[in-house]
Amino acid sequence: MHPILFSAGPITIYSYGVLLAAAYLTGLWMAVRRARAVGYDGNRIMDLGIWVIIAALVGAKLLLFIVDFNHFTSSWDEFTTLLRSGGVFYGGLIAAIVVCIYQLRKHRLPLWTSGDLFAPGIALGYMVGRLGCLAAGCCYGKPTDVAWAITFTDPAASLNVGTPLNIALHPTQLYESGAGLIIFLVLLWLEKRPGSFPGRTFWSFAFLYSVLRFIIEFYRGDDRGLVFDMLSTSQFISVVLGPVSLIMLWYLSRANRPAAPEVADTAQSPRKPRFT
């Protein structure tokens, strides 16, 4: 694709960086818009979103560094490639959630309602961000002969993130971008359905993402480390996150269910008049 958007002397602007910024801004715009629609202070949500973005950037690269520790510590040149790499989305998501919880408690904002406000924006931003992966050549797929395979030819992609050149690969970046769009649309549809409760949108996002990411990981061709020599790091997190999401959805639905009215035992006590 086009890893380098343009160069001007010593300054190089990478496509991934531009699209990643667009992804974060898109997600933040969506969260602020949704917050104002329900009467929240948009500026406070904006401040919260900025902290979340910083945490996501750091967390994504930190988990990538941990997963590929031997690679990034093999030499200084390899370590500097960490700055050009996108990172692991789960690392960014986990770090963002931790920082978000802290900020919400600090400003006394409702936890699950705030999570519901951010969830569709995260999915939409994820869709845009994965297009940045496609442009950069990172998060590439396994070799394939399917009709929709893509072939990278730009040497910059191979130099920056080790993308195989001139080989037909699964377009896993597009798979994941499409997954983000599907999750976004499902969340908006779900919010219009009856039986809503605080936390339903957020934990539905977590469940849908864990399922789709687990499946897409089978088509990824880049080295992401293995857990128990069986699952990639992201698949392992998905295996944990999926059931936790279902448990939280069940728990929160019960916690927010209206209490059943007490029924008087008419066999043992006469009915009292409704009005006095």
Side-chain angles (χ1 to χ4, degrees), residues 70-84:
N70 292 333
H71 171 76
F72 289 117
T73 57
S74 61
S75 69
W76 175 252
D77 289 338
E78 294 298 341
F79 179 77
T80 58
T81 63
L82 183 64
L83 301 177
R84 299 192 297 269

Side-chain angles (χ1 to χ4, degrees), residues 79-229:
F79 179 77
T80 58
T81 63
L82 183 64
L83 301 177
R84 299 192 297 269
S85 301
V88 180
F89 178 77
Y90 264 132
L93 180 63
I94 293 171
I97 289 174
V98 172
V99 170
C100 187
I101 291 174
Y102 170 77
Q103 291 293 325
L104 289 173
R105 290 186 178 277
K106 178 180 178 181
H107 296 291
R108 297 181 180 178
L109 292 171
L111 176 61
W112 299 127
T113 301
S114 299
D116 290 342
L117 293 176
F118 274 94
I122 296 173
L124 189 61
Y126 182 79
M127 180 195 75
V128 176
R130 283 304 182 182
L131 295 178
C133 295
L134 179 66
C138 63
C139 308
Y140 51 86
K142 293 179 179 178
T144 183
D145 58 358
V146 297
W148 54 89
I150 59 174
T151 302
F152 294 92
T153 58
D154 196 318
S158 178
L159 178 64
N160 290 336
V161 292
T163 310
L165 302 181
N166 304 311
I167 299 175
L169 306 172
H170 273 289
T172 46
Q173 305 93 335
L174 291 179
Y175 297 166
E176 298 198 53
S177 182
L181 177 60
I182 291 172
I183 294 172
F184 172 73
L185 295 176
V186 170
L187 294 182
L188 295 186
W189 171 81
L190 187 63
E191 288 187 332
K192 297 179 181 180
R193 307 296 297 173
S196 180
F197 53 85
R200 186 172 78 165
T201 302
F202 175 81
W203 285 108
S204 295
F205 160 78
F207 174 73
L208 290 170
Y209 178 76
S210 65
V211 171
L212 291 173
R213 182 62 184 268
F214 182 86
I215 296 171
I216 294 172
E217 282 288 298
F218 286 112
Y219 299 95
R220 289 276 293 267
D222 53 328
D223 184 16
R224 300 170 315 289
L226 290 176
V227 179
F228 305 129
D229 294 325

Side-chain angles (χ1 to χ4, degrees), residues 226-240:
L226 290 176
V227 179
F228 305 129
D229 294 325
M230 295 175 54
L231 303 174
S232 70
T233 303
S234 293
Q235 283 181 318
F236 176 74
I237 297 175
S238 293
V239 168
V240 175

